[in-house]
Amino acid sequence: MNTALIIDDEPSAINTLRLMLERYIPEITDIKTTSDAQQGLDLIIKNKPDLLFLDIQMPSMTGFDLLKKLPSINFNIIFTTAHDQYAIEAIRFSALDYLLKPIDADDLRNAFERFVEKRASSLQSESLYKNFMYNLSVENKKDFKLPLPTTQGTFFFKPEEIIRLEGESNYTQFFFVSKSKLLTSRTLKDYEEILINHGFIRVHKSHMVNKTHVVNFTTDGMLIMSDHSKIEISRRRKEDVLACLKNQ
C-alpha cells in the first residue's frame, strides 16, 4: 500500500494530478490533497504519507518554506513546478525528483518507479533533503554538494573535490582530491546529466573528468589528471573535448 499527498495552490492542478495518479499509478491506494500549504503541513504530520507531490510556487508559503517547518522528513518528495530554473538545478543536483507542469504521464510513471527504487534501497531521505536545502541556500551552484549513496552510507561532495568518474557497467567510481574513491550504484550517464553544467566533460564511454583537474593533453590522446592518472579520450569525442578545454 502506497499513500500520497498532493499540495498545490491550484485546485485544477490538484485534480489533474489526482486523475493521472488514479489512472497511471494504481499502486497508490490512498490520495489526499490540499490547496492550503498550512493545512498541508498538518496533513503531513498527521497522515505520514509515503510520497508527497509538492508544488514549489505557492503564494502564502513556498514548497521550500513548508519543508523548513517540518521537524523531520521521513518520506519521499516529488516536486512539481512550471519554471524556476535555479531550483530545478538544485533539485537535480541533490538527486531528488521533480515534474514539470503540465505533467507528462510517462514522466509521472518514471518518477514513481524511481521512488520505489529509492525506498527499496533505503536511501536516507532526511540527509538528502537537508543537503537539498543547503544547495538551495548557496548563492553559487559551484558550492552545491552532490549526494553519493554507497553501501557504507551517503556521502556529499562539492564538484571541485571530484577529479574524475569512471563507469563500470551500472556503477560509477568517483575519484577525489583526497585520493579516496567511492563506488555508487548509478550509471555514468546519470551523473553526466547532473554534472555536465558544473565543469565536467564526458571524454569516453567509461570516463568523465573535471576540467579544472586536467593537467595536460598528451600527443597519444590521453589526459593527465591532477592525481597523475591517465584518461583515454575516445576518437569521436576528441575534437569536442579539446575545444571545451581550450575555452576553459
Side-chain angles (χ1 to χ4, degrees):
M1 176 175 168
N2 295 293
T3 62
L5 171 62
I6 303 171
I7 304 176
D8 195 311
D9 66 303
E10 298 179 13
S12 60
I14 288 177
N15 291 333
T16 298
L17 181 52
R18 176 195 271 278
L19 289 171
M20 292 182 74
L21 290 174
E22 290 172 349
R23 179 173 181 180
Y24 299 110
I25 318 290
E27 296 93 330
I28 295 179
T29 54
D30 181 33
I31 304 170
K32 290 182 170 54
T33 70
T34 180
S35 58
D36 180 83
Q38 183 57 53
Q39 185 182 42
L41 270 174
D42 298 336
L43 285 171
I44 290 171
I45 295 169
K46 179 181 178 181
N47 295 287
K48 298 179 175 58
D50 297 312
L51 184 57
L52 172 63
F53 291 90
L54 180 61
D55 186 26
I56 292 177
Q57 296 89 10
M58 294 185 288
S60 60
M61 184 193 307
T62 71
F64 305 137
D65 291 335
L66 182 151
L67 293 180
K68 291 176 184 176
K69 292 179 179 292
L70 289 169
S72 63
I73 301 175
N74 49 14
F75 51 88
N76 279 270
I77 303 169
I78 297 177
F79 295 97
T80 59
T81 181
H83 49 81
D84 198 338
Q85 192 56 47
Y86 189 84
I88 289 173
E89 183 77 6
I91 291 168
R92 295 185 70 220
F93 203 88
S94 305
L96 301 178
D97 248 315
Y98 71 95
L99 292 169
L100 281 176
K101 298 177 181 179
I103 295 171
D104 176 79
D106 289 336
D107 291 342
L108 176 61
R109 183 70 215 180
N110 291 336
F112 178 77
E113 289 174 357
R114 285 191 293 270
F115 150 71
V116 173
E117 290 174 6
K118 286 179 184 177
R119 190 168 60 175
S121 62
S122 300
L123 271 179
Q124 301 160 321
S125 297
E126 185 79 18
S127 60
L128 288 180
Y129 291 113
K130 282 183 177 178
N131 181 63
F132 165 63
M133 298 308 289
Y134 162 82
N135 285 345
L136 198 66
S137 69
V138 298
E139 295 182 0
N140 195 318
K141 66 181 185 180
K142 71 178 180 63
D143 293 319
F144 282 0
K145 288 184 179 179
L146 180 69
L148 301 179
T150 74
T151 54
Q152 291 80 41
T154 301
F155 300 85
F156 301 88
F157 291 90
K158 290 183 180 180
E160 64 187 23
E161 299 176 282
I162 304 167
I163 295 176
R164 61 186 182 91
L165 297 75
E166 184 173 338
E168 302 175 5
S169 183
N170 291 325
Y171 296 85
T172 300
Q173 187 92 252
F174 279 75
F175 297 83
F176 305 99
V177 294
S178 61
K179 301 192 185 319
S180 61
K181 59 184 181 179
L182 287 175
L183 184 68
T184 69
S185 58
R186 293 185 67 183
T187 66
L188 188 60
K189 181 172 176 54
D190 289 338
Y191 287 112
E192 179 183 11
E193 293 173 354
I194 295 171
L195 292 171
I196 199 71
N197 294 322
H198 292 263
F200 286 75
I201 322 169
R202 183 76 174 264
V203 300
H204 186 277
K205 67 178 182 179
S206 301
H207 298 287
M208 190 170 186
V209 302
N210 185 339
K211 289 191 295 184
T212 60
H213 286 288
V214 175
V215 175
N216 192 21
F217 169 73
T218 67
T219 54
D220 59 348
M222 305 286 283
L223 290 179
I224 308 298
M225 305 302 296
S226 60
D227 62 350
H228 307 296
S229 58
K230 293 183 178 181
I231 307 300
E232 180 185 359
I233 304 175
S234 67
R235 288 184 181 179
R236 70 183 186 88
R237 296 177 187 268
K238 181 177 178 180
E239 189 175 325
D240 290 338
V241 170
L242 292 180
C244 190
L245 291 174
K246 287 178 182 178
N247 292 331
Q248 235 188 154

